[in-house]
Amino acid sequence: MTSRLLPHAVLGLAVLIFAFPIWIAVAGSTQDAAAIARGDLSLVPRLSGFAVYRDVLLNSSAGAGPVWRELLVSFGMALAIALGKIALSIPSAYAVAFFRFPLRMAAFWVIFMTLMLPVEVRLVPTFQVMSTLGMVNTFSGLTVPLIASATATLLFRQTFTAIPDELVEAARIDGAGPLRFLFDVVIPVSGANIAALFVILFVYGWNQYLWPLLVVTDPHLDTVVIGIVKMIGIDTETAWNKVMATAVLALLPPVVVVVAMQRWFVKGLTEGDK
Amino acid sequence: MDRRTIFPGRALPALLVLPQLALTAVFFLWPAGQAIWSSLQREDAFGTSSEFAGLENFASLFADPLYGAAVARTVLFCAAVTALSMGLALLFAVFADAEIRGRAFYRTMLVWPYAVAPAMSAVLWVLMFHPQIGLVGAWLNRIGVPWDYKLNGAEAMALIVGASAWKQVSYNFIFFLAGLQAIPRSVIEAARIDGSRGFYRFRTIVLPLLMPVVFFLLVVDLVYAAFDTFATVYALTQGGPGQSTQTLVLKVYLDGIVNADIGSSSAQSVVLMAGVIVLSALQFRFLGRKAGT
Amino acid sequence: MDRRNLLAGAGTLAAWAALPGAVRAAGEPTRIVFWHAMSAANGAEIDRIVRDFNASQSDVVLEAVYKGSYPETLTAAIAAYRGGQAPNIVQVFEVGTGTMLQAGPAVKPAWKLAEETGFKLDPSSYIPGVRGYYSLSDGKLASMPFNSSTAVMWYNKDAFEKAGLDPEKPPVTYDDYDRAARTLASKAPTPIASTTAWMPWIQFEEFAAIQNIAYATEGDGYDGLGAQLLVNGKPFVAQLQRFMDLAKDGAFKYTGRDSGPDAIFYSGQAAIGFGSSSGRADIVKNAQFRYAEALLPVEPSLNPKPNNSIIGGASLWALNAPKRTEAEYKAVAAFYAFISKPEQVALYAQHTGYVPVTVAGYDATEASGYYAKNPGTDLPVQQLERGELTANSRGLRLGRLPEIRAVIYEEIEKALQGQQSAQTAMDSAVERGNRILRDFQKSARG
């Protein structure tokens, strides 16, 4: 009997650890900001309080734009980064995996270097480069530098290396060239990995904080993560109910993407990566 | 690591690699070079004047006992985050791997936090642990437990470790679960017939088979703890109280961006890069060896 | 300098279009950007000023952008300048003044802007404390005074009453405060007896000015870049020791840096909250109890005739950028002229809790009957004008002072945690602070 209950107890605790903060955020978002500031946060949501969601979605509060716009920016950014990275890294991973060309390893290492230089480590110089290129405060400035990093290339290289040699042989006997092989065989068989990577990169793009903080000075380009930290960073008065409502809204899209694509995502993530 | 069968050609692969190489050169190599250059300069905040300072920035960095303390603190922080998130993930994965009812529900509930942004995990943890408004924090103070991460350095450290590990558990969980499911049932069955039970079986049969996953996650988690936690820590404590939560990345940011001390911050960047290169090389060797899992 | 040389190429064209206030067709209003650090109620007030300014004329369209806290705003401006993307105007807190004065070609000092654009800027129209903080040795104004506050002691009258203290008699000396805080702790009408925002500013910088003690050599930095900190002197160590003792006995609680602790007071959790006078707008909006503001406590043993307090808050700096046009500088001057109108100064002060920065603004506020209707609101001005302006009460002019403040925060936090003695904390603050000052001296243009 105990052996039956133990897994449920442990996993129930796990669920609680992860779901509880979200519940606090949902409950807190419906309450009176002043009550929260006094430390009277209740775990029971007030039904009348759900109007706050309309409020934060449509209206801007001091320093932070309306959440619908922030969500749109976040969504555009996540999508651009996910698609851009996939489009960029499939060809380069394919080249490294299926060809021998001069400086192949050098090229691979140069790309790999990007993993060693997280943006946190080179903030000011990167900003200077961006402004030299006139990309500060633009949507491309928000996304393009993040598209460059090597994570996706590494994963695809793993995936492509795993494609059986027999497939390649067969294709060559059929007289398929490298490009046809790429489009007819490699991309289709890597479908699950591409889907998984899409999820990973979408979440990565959606969750960016430091880069947008630095490169965007125009509030119209604030992402929702920036918006929320701005709301909290407000020194004197924090409208906690609005913060929590925004937090719930900011969490929804990436969580939905992860949960909806859970099967492929878990598969692609774990298969390509070991 | 490399395939036997390849396509001939030079121009095509070069073209395929070119876009990514170009982006890498502009957005990574150029700034990195700039960082190395800046680390050898003495500059005023606005960058209107600079002079060559040689290795002075590095010298004063290594002479500063506070930098050594920050290194030690970061190592401690990374180790704690990695141990905590991996330990919990492994525990949950072992139970989620069992044949129990509601397994799919439990798995979903453990996978979704992967989507939480580091900055957002800080927000959620504020709601729980803020000494005055946080649900748990205020309750602790009401029952007389002096919980105050704004003044108590050890509590602040515990808070950022907790918030950072909390966010990383689901990633580790996914990998451990996959690793567990890859262990052939026949192996487990054989062990069971041999009469080895419960924890002993786990330790002698399952854990050795999971070792490659453990190593892989070790590197990933260390890199995560070192760099990706910036938003979590910055939003929660800004490095305070005192300097008790100032990790190396936070220090680069505070010195370079907040205090506009470009020279020292760049020198720290260069030191960090060297550290990351070592870590990445480990990971690369590991990624490169696909065999074993 | 009007350079209309357009670089060829779609990329640069797009970049150019994104530049704030780039040259546009004649007849279009000039667009300028103003970065500020005002949030919540004070942020709404900035929006009001911008609306009124834009409605008052048709040549200039000003866009205000909230950039986060004071340090974050200064940081963003420095990064943007380095990237050639500086805003036209940035709001810099008073402790950033020393850094801005050494910014050379990055800034357009207010006096120079006035000279070039013909806008009238008379230093003597500002109240002394404000003028002193932002003027150069020759009396010219380096930056445009805008929002000046000073530190006050807010207290919760209901809590005072419950603890048996006279709500009409706030503590006057530090010893009074000490006793009141201990009484409040024992009667516990609020969870926290007393707390302070901005501890380095209020309990050390203001403390030194009011008690007429030097904070740093070289006349608090006004007379040269070679200044050394003096905060490990006896009065400062005793001041820290006082708070450590109170904290040990539960009569004082440290609740965070900068203005974070403000919310502790207005949510009713602390009976005494030291804070900026500019917190008024938020207190009025949120406090559900009777409250009042009082002068900062004094230390008669150090100075029987207390000096004026020094200002907090911020001033406006015009920044340079490549391609910045004459029209843009004119637009900045137009905004400066607008905010220095007496009725605007008065309105801003009444809406926020900042002090009227000009004498005319103060007179207009008084004439409107505002002070009579809102007793206590003229305290900050009284405190700023009290006594004699001495070399120790002009303000602080130290480079990288925000960073020095961060160092002081770190050291007093360690002391309040019981990790080091008051003397060790202040010694180490001096040692680290002086290192920062020497670095600044090296990198500054002599």
Side-chain angles (χ1 to χ4, degrees), chain B residues 42-49 66 132 148 150-153 240-243 246 257-259 261-262, chain C residues 72 75 78 81-82 100 103 105-106 253-255 257 264 269 400 403 410 413 417 432 435 442-443 445:
Chain B
R42 188 187 306 119
E43 264 193 286
D44 69 328
F46 283 84
T48 54
S49 71
L66 292 174
Q132 275 85 34
D148 185 8
K150 286 193 183 317
L151 188 58
N152 184 316
Q243 290 186 315
Q246 218 181 84
I257 301 289
V258 178
N259 298 333
D261 187 349
I262 309 297
Chain C
E72 281 165 351
T75 298
I78 288 176
Y81 172 79
R82 295 178 69 107
M100 298 303 284
K253 189 166 171 59
Y254 180 86
T255 53
R257 297 186 187 182
I264 306 285
Q269 296 184 70
R400 288 166 70 175
E403 199 179 339
E410 284 171 9
E413 280 166 356
Q417 281 182 64
R432 290 174 62 196
R435 220 178 319 149
K442 263 190 236 167
S443 68
R445 37 196 63 242

Side-chain angles (χ1 to χ4, degrees), chain A residues 8 17 92 97-98 100 108 116-117 121-122 153 157 160-161 163 165 172 207 240 244 262 274, chain B residues 1 3-4 6-7 20 24 28 34 106 108 114-115 117 127 132-133 166 269 273 277 284 287 290:
Chain A
H8 286 289
I17 290 176
S92 57
F98 284 92
R100 294 284 172 280
F108 182 68
M116 308 175 190
L117 299 174
V121 170
R122 45 182 179 84
T153 315
R157 184 179 154 270
F160 295 166
T161 319
I163 290 174
D165 282 342
R172 288 177 68 168
N207 291 346
W240 286 104
M244 296 188 199
Q262 190 182 341
K274 294 187 305 187
Chain B
M1 158 162 174
R3 34 184 345 109
R4 294 183 309 277
I6 48 165
F7 287 104
Q20 179 151 25
T24 305
F28 287 85
Q34 177 94 43
Y106 284 131
T108 305
Y114 173 81
L127 302 183
Q132 275 85 34
I133 70 151
W166 181 88
S269 290
M273 283 184 213
I277 283 172
F284 179 71
L287 281 175
K290 218 184 154 306

Side-chain angles (χ1 to χ4, degrees), chain C residues 389-438:
Chain C
L389 190 79
T390 70
N392 297 327
S393 67
R394 281 177 295 190
L396 301 180
R397 185 149 300 170
L398 302 169
R400 288 166 70 175
L401 189 49
E403 199 179 339
I404 293 171
R405 262 192 192 170
V407 164
I408 294 179
Y409 269 127
E410 284 171 9
E411 297 299 339
I412 56 184
E413 280 166 356
K414 280 188 200 162
L416 285 162
Q417 281 182 64
Q419 293 175 1
Q420 57 185 6
S421 72
Q423 185 68 54
T424 313
M426 296 326 272
D427 282 345
S428 146
V430 166
E431 194 235 325
R432 290 174 62 196
N434 284 344
R435 220 178 319 149
I436 293 168
L437 287 171
R438 294 299 72 79

Side-chain angles (χ1 to χ4, degrees), chain C residues 345-378:
Chain C
V345 172
L347 212 52
Y348 183 55
Q350 291 168 38
H351 287 174
T352 55
Y354 288 107
V355 298
V357 287
T358 61
V359 177
Y362 178 77
D363 293 340
T365 310
E366 196 163 40
S368 71
Y370 175 79
Y371 292 140
K373 274 201 291 281
N374 300 281
T377 47
D378 56 343

